[in-house]
């Protein structure tokens, strides 16, 4: 029985090949940051308000100029056809039905145009050598509402599970937005990504990008300021789900200083470790405008339960808001919070 979003992982593990399970579940190095993301969320305490007279909490929000049913987006995640033959299309359709944005990965295993046709989408851009403008223009042409530039992957983190498994993509799953033939994901990153990308490049892209631009992978408030100075409309406080530099702080711990630095000037989103509606509420209370959810939705995809998973997340958030005495997300932002 599935009673919480976190329940899908065990179900998925029982149906997936173990190397695919490891590719999704794993982090880099000793997985210190992967574990820290969860420990830090668990350590956040909220102080509820009572007698708030709420019958139906309102979970809706505005992000990047549009109204959404939940302050949640589907995180960009590569190669979703590893989990289910329909991959990105199934998860994007569920996002559309739930009224939340779907973030298309540069490395999606279904072409971005097909995904953008079924869901309100943002496009995640990896800085691939010589191909940034072409991909950005395709995303704009396809009707994506924002470009999300991921800045924490100059090279791929050392993901020991994948190295030990000699993880390789099956022949029928590949990066459909690119002409590249990929089997070894790590070797592809090393060959195709531009490692020396800089703030100048971001400013150059900002000048050419006609839609909102969000920078994903910020942990230091000084970088958040640089992003705003470069013209970013938003930042995602993220450590890539513990998959890049191991040992970095939990993103929920990085959130407060980033909100203090740029929260009045741009949208501040958060990902890495969100596993429940309660975690969404905690992130909002700590100053996020919204969150991205990653692995739990891939686990749900593996067992063809993405609609149910997003409904469960919404119900968890509503229950948490009602128990905390929050009529809406503005009320959630007023909650007192702390650490034990
Ligand atoms: C990712 N992530 C990611 N990020 C990105 O910007 N582009 C990408 O293509 C991918 N691909 C990807 C694949 C897989 C299998 C995972 C698990 C993650 C990172 C993702 O967007 C997000 O930052 C984290 O997954 C958030 O952490 P949680 O929710 O998984 O803990």
């Amino acid at each position: 029985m599935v009673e919480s979003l976190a329940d899908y992982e065990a179900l998925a593990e029982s149906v997936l090949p173990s190397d695919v399970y490891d590719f999704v579940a794993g982090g880099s190095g000793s997985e210190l940051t992967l574990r820290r993301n969860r420990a830090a969320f668990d350590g956040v305490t909220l102080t509820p308000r009572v007698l708030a007279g709420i019958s139906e909490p309102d979970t809706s929000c505005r992000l990047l100029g549009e109204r959404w049913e939940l302050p949640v987006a589907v995180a960009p995640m590569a190669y979703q056809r590893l989990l289910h033959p329909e991959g990105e299309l199934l998860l994007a359709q569920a996002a559309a039905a739930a009224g939340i944005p779907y973030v298309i990965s540069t490395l999606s295993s279904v072409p971005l145009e097909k995904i953008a046709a079924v869901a309100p989408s943002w496009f995640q851009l990896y800085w691939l050598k010589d191909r940034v403008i072409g991909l950005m223009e395709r995303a704009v042409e396809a009707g994506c509402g924002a470009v999300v530039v991921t800045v924490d992957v100059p090279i791929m983190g050392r993901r020991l599970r994948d190295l030990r498994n000699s993880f390789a993509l099956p022949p029928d799953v590949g990066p459909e937005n690119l002409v590249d033939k990929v089997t070894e994901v790590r070797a592809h990153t090393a060959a195709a990504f531009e490692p020396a990308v800089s703030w100048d490049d971001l400013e150059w892209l900002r000048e050419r990008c006609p839609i909102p631009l969000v920078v994903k992978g910020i942990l230091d408030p000084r970088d958040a300021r640089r992003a705003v100075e470069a013209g970013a409309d938003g930042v995602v406080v993220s450590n890539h789900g513990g998959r890049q530099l191991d040992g970095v702080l939990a993103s929920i711990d990085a959130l407060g200083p980033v909100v203090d630095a740029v929260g009045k000037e741009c949208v501040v989103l958060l990902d890495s470790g969100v596993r429940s509606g309660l975690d969404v509420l905690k992130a909002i209370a700590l100053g996020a405008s919204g969150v991205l959810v990653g692995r739990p939705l891939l686990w749900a995809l593996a067992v063809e339960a993405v609609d149910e998973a997003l409904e469960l997340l919404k119900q968890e958030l509503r229950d948490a808001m009602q128990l905390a005495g929050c009529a809406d997300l503005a009320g959630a932002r007023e909650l007192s919070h702390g650490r034990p």
Side-chain angles (χ1 to χ4, degrees), residues 131-155:
R131 286 182 279 181
V132 166
I133 288 293
L135 285 165
M136 184 272 285
E137 286 175 351
R138 277 175 65 187
V140 172
E141 180 69 18
C144 292
V147 168
V148 179
V149 184
T150 299
V151 295
D152 55 7
V153 188
I155 58 169

Side-chain angles (χ1 to χ4, degrees), residues 76-78 105 124 126 150 216 240-241 271-273 275 294-295:
M77 289 175 288
S105 168
Q124 176 269 325
Y126 274 134
T150 299
K216 173 175 181 279
H240 215 101
D271 77 21
S272 301
R275 295 292 175 270
R295 295 179 184 86

Side-chain angles (χ1 to χ4, degrees), residues 202-263:
L202 189 76
E203 282 172 20
W204 173 87
L205 179 67
R206 170 70 289 183
E207 281 168 20
R208 288 157 181 80
C209 179
I211 57 177
L213 192 120
V214 175
V215 180
K216 173 175 181 279
I218 297 280
L219 293 169
D220 191 310
R222 292 171 295 184
D223 283 339
R225 277 243 57 84
R226 281 299 298 267
V228 167
E229 284 160 16
D233 301 283
V235 294
V236 185
V237 176
S238 169
N239 55 37
H240 215 101
R243 294 163 79 83
Q244 284 301 105
L245 178 63
D246 195 26
V248 306
L249 73 174
S251 50
I252 192 73
D253 286 336
L255 177 63
V258 171
V259 171
D260 291 345
V262 300

